[in-house]
Amino acid sequence: QVQLVESGGGLVQAGGSLRLSCAASGRILRINSMGWYLQAAGKQRELVAVTTMNGITTYAGSVKGRFTISRDNAKNTVFLQMNSLKPEDTAVYYCKGSVILTPLGLSLEVWGQGTLVTVSS
């Protein structure tokens, strides 16, 4: 019904930057919010940043000032600009969307497949 496709992960040295993208497609009437979560090896998934489609953003304390979430409403796409990366940022990053489906207006939370970010020291 709805798919989220992430891209932009990879290997980067500490202090470097990466930009993640997540594009939503399918039977979308409206997107209420999109966000990024990370899951490090052996740990629970946790929030990185989330944005409502009218611009309200929330960040985890560990990434404030380093990461920026942005969106392109026309393309149902959200981005995560990650600067000053640290080895502890290494994780699989997942995109999550809170969407309203056509034609019945049902709400659905959808996860992407994840993209690996590895930060070397």
Side-chain angles (χ1 to χ4, degrees):
Q1 296 181 356
V2 177
Q3 299 80 37
L4 299 183
V5 178
E6 300 128 332
S7 61
L11 173 64
V12 65
Q13 289 188 333
S17 298
L18 283 175
R19 189 186 193 220
L20 306 183
S21 300
C22 173
S25 62
R27 292 170 44 200
I28 299 171
L29 176 64
R30 185 177 72 250
I31 296 179
N32 288 331
S33 66
M34 292 182 75
W36 292 95
Y37 294 73
L38 66 82
Q39 188 166 19
K43 296 186 178 181
Q44 290 187 333
R45 197 171 296 186
E46 59 187 58
L47 173 72
V48 177
V50 63
T51 180
T52 65
M53 300 318 271
N54 58 8
I56 299 172
T57 58
T58 301
Y59 292 93
S62 60
V63 306
K64 280 184 179 178
R66 300 189 298 124
F67 292 9
T68 302
I69 190 169
S70 60
R71 73 218 177 275
D72 183 335
N73 290 345
K75 296 182 179 180
N76 288 336
T77 299
V78 67
F79 307 96
L80 186 68
Q81 178 67 41
M82 304 187 294
N83 299 328
S84 302
L85 282 160
K86 304 175 182 179
E88 51 264 43
D89 295 320
T90 295
V92 177
Y93 284 70
Y94 295 90
C95 178
K96 177 185 170 183
S98 176
V99 303
I100 305 298
L101 304 178
T102 62
L104 298 178
L106 298 176
S107 63
L108 183 68
E109 291 193 337
V110 186
W111 290 92
Q113 80 283 0
T115 185
L116 178 62
V117 171
T118 303
V119 184
S120 63
S121 58

